[in-house]
Amino acid sequence: MALHNLGYPRIGDFRELKFTLEAYWKGEKSLQELEAQAREIRYQNFQTQIKAGVELIPVNDFAYYDQVLNMSTLLGVIPKRFRQENFDVEVAFRMARGRAPSDDGHGCCAGHGHDTCESKADYAGAMKKWFDTNYHYIVPELEDDTEFTITDTRLFDEVAEALVLKQDASNIDFKPVLVGPVTYLYLAENKGTEIPKLSRLPALLEVYAQILQRLATQGVEWVQIDEPILVLELEAEWQNAFKEAYQTLAQSPAKLLLATYFETLGDNLGLACQLPVAGLHYDGLRGAKQLDEVIEQYPAGKVLSIGLVDGRNIWKADINDAIEQLQEAKAKFGDNLWIAPSCSLLHVPVNLEVETKLNPELKNYLSFAKQKLGEIKLLNDALHDKADKKSLEDNRQVLAAKANSKLIHNEQVQARLAKLDDIPLTRDEPYAVRAILQVARFDLPLFPTTTIGSFPQTQEIRQARRRFKNGEIDELEYIEAMQAEIRDVCERQERIGIDVFVHGEPERNDMVEYFGEQLDGYAFTQFGWVQSYGSRCVKPPIIFGDVSRPLPMTVNWSTYAQSQTDKIMKGMLTGAVTMLQWSFVRNDQTRETTCNQIALALRDEVLDLEAAGIHMIQIDEAALREGLPLKKSDWDDYLYWAVNSFRLTTSGVQNDTQIHTHMCYSEFNDIIQAVAKMDADVITIETSKSQMKLLDAFVDFQYPNEIGPGVYDIHSPNIPTVEQMVDLIQKAAKNIPVERLWVNPDCGLKTRGWKETEPALVNMVEAAKILKKQFEEKIQSA
Ligand code: GLN
Ligand code: ZN
């Protein structure tokens, strides 16, 4: 065995699983139909991998919803509120989606990892991002009475299903994939119990041992056991847990391939090399810095698997370079050197072949999951001196062409970037001075009210956008439709009595796509979907080349909106870090460089908006936090350039132009300093769900600028009452000087309907009025 895979996308070439799942959830398809679809996808995936020449094929990389959730049901980690006599797949769906069948409990703004709404009796499990990917898993819940016991047997069924195929093809085998016990425990969270997590390890290992035993009995030789937390900076107790775990599992009859990915092993390198398992998989791309050390330290005689074909990005691999990098490993490990992608292919789109609209030159530089199988095959062949010389030469030529491509490299952008140091990253005056000038300019009341940008995206809006895209209406008609919408939201905001208006973003289908489509250097696929959570997929744009802005992107909409009202109209942009974070990015320059290119383009947009009379501009950085590197020791570096990109975007405006930023999450404790360094005049954040507790970070730090702590949760259809919001603002006002407080919802309102949005905003404005009165009286009597 030499060529293997760590996981293959399970959504299907055209998101078949998504559509069948959603039809099933709506009651339009039966469980039998859903199961048939799932079997079909698994079968096709096996065939694709067999045809590609993969010798050891993953099983249990399939999941209806999430592979961590599958581990929970396998291990019997089922929250009390969902337990029932006999396990069935409905239990798993409830764990993921809560009890109400029509609501997946995760209807949040961009599907980027919000906590769940715990007000429902049978609320869904919390979702978290799987390491630094855009995939979300359902957090396992450990309760006082959680007992590990094999509960869900689908793993064994799928293994049996796969092993049947082995009879037709004697040169292949199957390898079940499990989340390893230490990673599983690490990701799990205690719920209403104080039992130390690690004290549960022995019991957990017992069940893992039973699972391995049962797999071996089925005829399984190798099991891939994913322990990605080995790339984190672990405390000693977790490092010790690894020793304990793998000493115990070493008794098992199955051979274990321990898989790590997404980063170097760092200080865990020695530990990973010593664990008593049969082999190790190492990510040679994200872990490049330690690849040589791994090759040197991993014991000869064991299997070392190395991934040099990128499971996280969409570029063709440099096979010739990979061959060279693997020479030493080949000499040391011989047939025990295995080849795989760097990590599971779950994180890349399925099949490049089905794309018909990409620029052919660009397409030639790309590789999706299916094509990556061809790349590992070529690499493996080359290492066995069996490679087709022409394929290797072709690969060399493609990479050379890419390196010199005019499509990718833009001299003007390069020239501008070379002079980056000439642009000051600081605004003319500090906030304290700017604030005085801004008060004079905007003359806002205490507790000014505003919203985060988008308003409900009605059927009509979506339809108009779709019809314009399909050429059914012309540009003029489209613009008229959007302007009518803008007029409508202006009238509504007027009626409601909001102080600072937004235009509502009707023209945006997505906060990244809208800008990406107007920037040079960005491409969009037709079917490049990647699973985000459950049936939800995202289609990240591809930043393939130097980024520049041929024309203003938002100025017409914002100025039109401003022309409809005397109130202040806030301009609305997506920040560079978020643009970067939610895209596939170049692999031939640093993320920092790409981010700066985007920031320069946005800087031009900011200055154009200002010149056109828009003096309040919000730049959303929804993804700033999720860009944090996996290793804490890398955080400062990242935050430094991320913050600077924001400053580069904003530093050119006049002192009385007010810069806002918005971040839709709530954990600020460990990044508050960086957030302050962004020096936005106003920041709006998510705080309502925690009852303003999350403001603590800002209070403790004495955050110096203005804040709009979200006063209602837009993820819930409930209409917040005036009293609830008064209460929240009062809490905030206890700790933040009232002159610096804004009143706004948690996030954009595009996923809501007007039915709940309008009364909610009416209440919000009323709450602000009450507060204003209270505080004005206080100020007068003082
Ligand atoms: N301005 C965006 C909106 O209101 C912000 C969305 C977000 O932060 N996710 O939709
Ligand atoms: Zn938000």
Side-chain angles (χ1 to χ4, degrees):
M1 283 299 170
L3 187 64
H4 75 118
N5 185 21
L6 302 178
Y8 197 76
R10 51 205 175 216
I11 55 178
D13 271 13
F14 300 103
R15 286 183 297 161
E16 291 86 343
L17 185 62
K18 170 198 179 69
F19 298 119
T20 311
L21 265 174
E22 289 174 358
Y24 169 72
W25 289 335
K26 279 193 214 131
E28 292 162 5
K29 282 210 164 143
S30 66
L31 183 61
Q32 285 71 29
E33 285 171 295
L34 175 62
E35 285 171 346
Q37 175 70 75
R39 253 195 319 275
E40 172 65 18
I41 289 176
R42 288 194 295 265
Y43 181 77
Q44 290 302 340
N45 285 355
F46 290 148
Q47 291 303 331
T48 303
Q49 293 175 87
I50 292 170
K51 270 193 215 127
V54 179
E55 295 158 315
L56 193 50
I57 297 169
V59 194
N60 198 42
D61 55 344
F62 180 85
Y64 280 125
Y65 206 99
D66 163 35
Q67 74 262 11
V68 178
L69 177 65
N70 277 9
M71 274 321 291
S72 292
T73 55
L74 171 64
L75 296 164
V77 181
I78 295 173
K80 277 195 197 77
R81 61 190 184 281
F82 297 117
R83 274 180 226 160
Q84 61 181 44
E85 188 125 1
N86 290 310
F87 174 82
D88 61 42
V89 66
E90 268 308 307
V91 174
F93 285 139
R94 273 179 225 130
M95 286 166 69
R97 309 170 67 234
R99 179 75 69 170
S102 61
D103 174 13
D104 77 352
H106 296 137
C108 57
C109 50
H112 294 287
H114 282 277
D115 300 335
T116 46
C117 163
E118 303 204 354
S119 53
K120 279 187 281 177
D122 292 334
Y123 55 91
M127 264 193 329
K128 281 217 169 135
K129 285 169 78 66
W130 178 247
F131 297 84
D132 61 351
T133 71
N134 228 329
Y135 177 81
H136 301 78
Y137 64 93
I138 303 292
V139 178
E141 292 176 27
L142 301 173
E143 296 169 299
D144 47 3
D145 62 348
T146 301
E147 271 179 45
F148 303 115
T149 166
I150 295 180
T151 299
D152 173 5
T153 54
R154 285 176 294 167
L155 163 68
F156 309 107
D157 301 340
E158 285 174 28
V159 167
E161 173 190 273
L163 289 176
V164 172
L165 296 174
K166 199 176 146 181
Q167 292 159 4
D168 315 327
S170 55
N171 53 339
I172 56 157
D173 205 346
F174 291 90
K175 169 186 60 161
V177 182
L178 302 174
V179 178
V182 190
T183 293
Y184 181 82
L185 206 53
Y186 190 89
L187 300 180
E189 281 172 16
N190 273 353
K191 194 101 189 181
T193 175
E194 304 278 292
I195 302 174
K197 281 204 288 182
L198 275 170
S199 71
R200 304 195 193 236
L201 186 60
L204 182 62
L205 291 174
E206 231 170 89
V207 180
Y208 266 84
Q210 288 165 15
I211 294 167
L212 294 175
Q213 176 65 52
R214 200 155 150 182
L215 289 171
T217 312
Q218 282 185 288
V220 163
E221 186 185 357
W222 281 94
V223 175
Q224 173 185 322
I225 197 140
D226 285 8
E227 290 284 12
I229 66 160
L230 275 169
V231 307
L232 304 181
E233 288 158 332
L234 296 174
E235 297 109 62
E237 50 172 7
W238 286 97
Q239 292 178 324
N240 291 334
F242 270 101
K243 292 186 201 151
E244 180 183 340
Y246 288 91
Q247 256 141 32
T248 306
L249 298 183
Q251 324 296 326
S252 134
K255 292 185 186 162
L256 300 184
L257 180 72
L258 189 77
T260 74
Y261 34 78
F262 301 155
E263 250 298 345
T264 60
L265 284 162
D267 289 344
N268 302 324
L269 177 80
L271 170 69
C273 289
Q274 284 157 23
L275 293 175
V277 288
L280 174 75
H281 169 80
Y282 187 72
D283 180 339
L285 292 171
R286 293 202 163 204
K289 272 190 292 192
Q290 269 186 335
L291 179 59
D292 288 342
E293 263 176 278
V294 169
I295 294 170
E296 204 182 292
Q297 287 192 31
Y298 204 65
K302 290 198 190 194
V303 165
L304 180 62
S305 159
I306 297 178
L308 288 171
V309 168
D310 200 344
R312 293 288 300 274
N313 213 336
I314 42 64
W315 301 103
K316 260 185 195 160
D318 188 338
I319 304 294
N320 295 286
D321 179 60
I323 296 170
E324 233 151 76
Q325 286 199 60
L326 291 176
Q327 285 312 317
E328 228 163 279
K330 186 185 158 189
K332 176 170 171 184
F333 293 91
D335 275 351
N336 282 334
L337 171 65
W338 288 12
I339 299 301
S342 62
C343 61
S344 166
L345 297 173
L346 178 72
H347 310 291
V348 288
V350 186
N351 186 3
L352 183 66
E353 281 159 26
V354 298
E355 298 293 330
T356 56
K357 295 192 176 150
L358 281 174
N359 173 321
E361 184 189 339
L362 174 61
K363 192 172 168 185
N364 197 30
Y365 301 148
L366 302 180
S367 168
F368 293 176
K370 190 171 176 196
Q371 290 69 41
K372 284 172 191 289
L373 297 176
E375 295 184 317
I376 53 170
K377 168 80 169 136
L378 179 61
L379 175 57
N380 191 51
D381 282 351
L383 290 168
H384 291 82
D385 301 316
K386 286 193 305 202
D388 166 27
K389 291 273 159 341
K390 181 167 177 308
S391 303
L392 289 176
E393 180 52 27
D394 284 353
N395 179 262
R396 202 189 56 73
Q397 279 180 16
V398 166
L399 279 134
K402 183 181 158 205
N404 297 307
S405 164
K406 285 258 178 309
L407 186 71
I408 291 182
H409 308 279
N410 174 331
E411 276 170 25
Q412 272 160 313
V413 177
Q414 301 285 342
R416 219 177 149 192
L417 216 58
K419 286 202 227 128
L420 211 54
D421 288 347
D422 299 350
I423 305 177
L425 294 180
T426 314
R427 305 226 357 222
D428 278 350
E429 294 288 352
Y431 167 75
V433 176
R434 299 195 307 260
I436 295 166
L437 300 169
Q438 289 167 16
V439 165
R441 163 164 233 151
F442 299 119
D443 191 25
L444 288 165
L446 269 187
F447 303 103
T449 52
T450 190
T451 59
I452 304 303
S454 58
F455 275 125
Q457 293 235 334
T458 58
Q459 282 299 331
E460 296 84 72
I461 297 177
R462 288 174 199 275
Q463 197 188 9
R465 270 204 321 261
R466 197 163 44 233
R467 293 182 65 200
F468 177 50
K469 217 167 187 167
N470 297 339
E472 290 162 38
I473 55 172
D474 63 19
E475 190 170 1
L476 219 65
E477 260 176 287
Y478 172 70
I479 291 176
E480 266 163 23
M482 292 300 117
Q483 289 185 340
E485 180 60 31
I486 291 174
R487 285 196 300 276
D488 180 59
V489 302
C490 284
E491 277 161 29
R492 286 181 197 258
Q493 292 174 95
E494 205 85 53
R495 260 202 320 271
I496 298 168
I498 289 183
D499 297 311
V500 169
F501 283 20
V502 295
H503 79 286
E505 305 178 24
E507 76 287 7
R508 301 180 197 178
N509 144 54
D510 174 279
M511 63 189 286
V512 168
E513 187 169 301
Y514 177 75
F515 292 94
E517 279 178 343
Q518 299 185 73
L519 290 168
D520 281 351
Y522 264 85
F524 291 82
T525 60
Q526 291 159 275
F527 306 104
W529 298 98
V530 180
Q531 188 180 11
S532 172
Y533 63 90
S535 67
R536 177 129 187 180
C537 300
V538 293
K539 192 152 68 70
I542 297 172
I543 305 179
F544 64 85
D546 290 332
V547 175
S548 62
R549 184 197 70 145
L551 289 168
M553 304 181 282
T554 64
V555 174
N556 285 346
W557 300 123
S558 283
T559 50
Y560 179 78
Q562 182 67 84
S563 75
Q564 297 304 305
T565 177
D566 297 331
K567 292 279 174 56
I568 302 152
M569 182 61 61
K570 191 163 56 158
M572 196 61 58
L573 306 174
T574 300
V577 179
T578 302
M579 293 291 295
L580 181 83
Q581 196 60 32
W582 291 347
S583 307
F584 286 115
V585 296
R586 291 171 67 169
N587 63 353
D588 57 349
Q589 65 185 23
T590 60
R591 292 174 80 79
E592 175 182 357
T593 302
T594 304
C595 194
N596 279 335
Q597 292 182 352
I598 304 169
L600 279 174
L602 291 172
R603 179 182 172 91
D604 296 345
E605 185 74 13
V606 167
L607 294 175
D608 282 350
L609 278 170
E610 184 185 50
I614 304 296
H615 293 279
M616 210 182 262
I617 302 170
Q618 177 177 314
I619 295 142
D620 294 325
E621 277 297 16
L624 184 90
R625 183 166 220 293
E626 64 185 62
L628 284 170
L630 289 171
K631 293 195 203 296
K632 263 212 156 129
S633 52
D634 295 331
W635 281 20
D636 281 352
D637 265 357
Y638 160 75
L639 287 169
Y640 180 77
W641 62 254
V643 167
N644 278 351
S645 81
F646 188 87
R647 297 170 66 122
L648 180 58
T649 304
T650 54
S651 65
V653 297
Q654 291 152 24
N655 290 315
D656 59 354
T657 291
Q658 191 172 68
I659 297 293
H660 290 224
T661 189
H662 164 69
M663 295 183 196
C664 34
Y665 38 84
S666 32
E667 292 170 65
F668 283 96
N669 284 318
D670 38 18
I671 57 164
I672 185 75
Q673 262 174 315
V675 170
K677 281 201 188 118
M678 290 165 68
D679 198 24
D681 297 301
V682 183
I683 182 171
T684 55
I685 56 169
E686 178 180 298
T687 37
S688 66
K689 269 186 288 185
S690 74
Q691 294 287 307
M692 296 285 158
K693 240 189 85 212
L694 295 159
L695 261 187
D696 289 356
F698 289 83
V699 176
D700 296 346
F701 181 74
Q702 302 193 317
Y703 182 77
N705 303 4
E706 288 157 56
I707 302 189
V711 296
Y712 84 83
D713 176 13
I714 62 95
H715 302 108
S716 152
N718 299 339
I719 298 165
T721 63
V722 176
E723 296 72 47
Q724 279 168 342
M725 288 188 276
V726 166
D727 184 52
L728 284 178
I729 305 166
Q730 272 166 343
K731 276 190 182 140
K734 276 210 185 94
N735 294 308
I736 310 253
V738 289
E739 316 77 58
R740 287 200 252 127
L741 267 182
W742 286 66
V743 174
N744 46 262
D746 254 354
C747 192
L749 293 157
K750 69 176 172 203
T751 56
R752 297 264 65 95
W754 278 113
K755 215 169 74 258
E756 66 254 24
T757 297
E758 200 153 334
L761 290 177
V762 166
N763 288 355
M764 184 186 90
V765 167
E766 180 59 27
K769 265 197 209 133
I770 292 174
L771 262 299
K772 187 176 150 222
K773 211 159 150 244
Q774 281 178 7
F775 276 84
E776 278 170 356
E777 278 162 13
K778 236 195 226 167
I779 290 165
Q780 267 160 22
S781 65

